Amino acid sequence: MLLPAAAGGRLAITHCCCNYPKVADTKSRRDTWENSRASFRRQWSSEFGEWPNSNGVSWAGHHIFDLGHGGPPLAPDNVIPAPADVHGVFNKQYPACYSGGGQWSTPGPERPYVD
């Protein structure tokens, strides 16, 4: 119970573990997502309620384990809705995480999210 999850969870967000190699089939994964996005959102909505939107524009679906490094395009536990400005931050930080160095190679606080 007190041990961190092997993959994912708050510890992974604070202590980045982005060490997956790039995959060759990114376009195929992206196409799968693009072609199935509407049905994915309908399925998601059946469990969690309406897919979020801002001013009538649906939020992006952010892939936690990104498509370019082998993330599954339609796994329910790999896609979260994110408003455009937040999704932009995610997309900017992912390359920084994979490149190593900077803030991503230093440990976070001993007990993140205690507030």
Side-chain angles (χ1 to χ4, degrees), residues 13-115:
I13 292 169
T14 306
H15 304 271
C16 186
C17 52
C18 302
N19 58 0
Y20 298 100
K22 287 187 175 188
V23 295
D25 64 344
T26 302
K27 182 177 180 343
S28 172
R29 290 171 185 275
R30 172 73 46 205
D31 289 347
T32 298
W33 169 246
E34 297 291 336
N35 294 333
S36 302
R37 179 179 23 220
S39 62
F40 178 90
R41 288 178 177 171
R42 279 193 301 276
Q43 180 65 31
W44 186 93
S45 296
S46 71
E47 184 172 350
F48 300 109
E50 185 179 349
W51 185 269
N53 70 77
S54 296
N55 299 319
V57 177
S58 293
W59 288 6
H62 176 70
H63 290 84
I64 300 164
F65 179 9
D66 69 301
L67 301 178
H69 290 90
L74 302 174
D77 59 348
N78 191 44
V79 182
I80 58 171
D85 57 339
V86 173
H87 195 236
V89 171
F90 289 161
N91 287 339
K92 181 179 177 189
Q93 291 301 318
Y94 268 56
C97 179
Y98 279 101
S99 69
Q103 71 188 39
W104 295 111
S105 61
T106 59
E110 181 179 340
R111 297 175 187 257
Y113 307 100
V114 292
D115 55 338

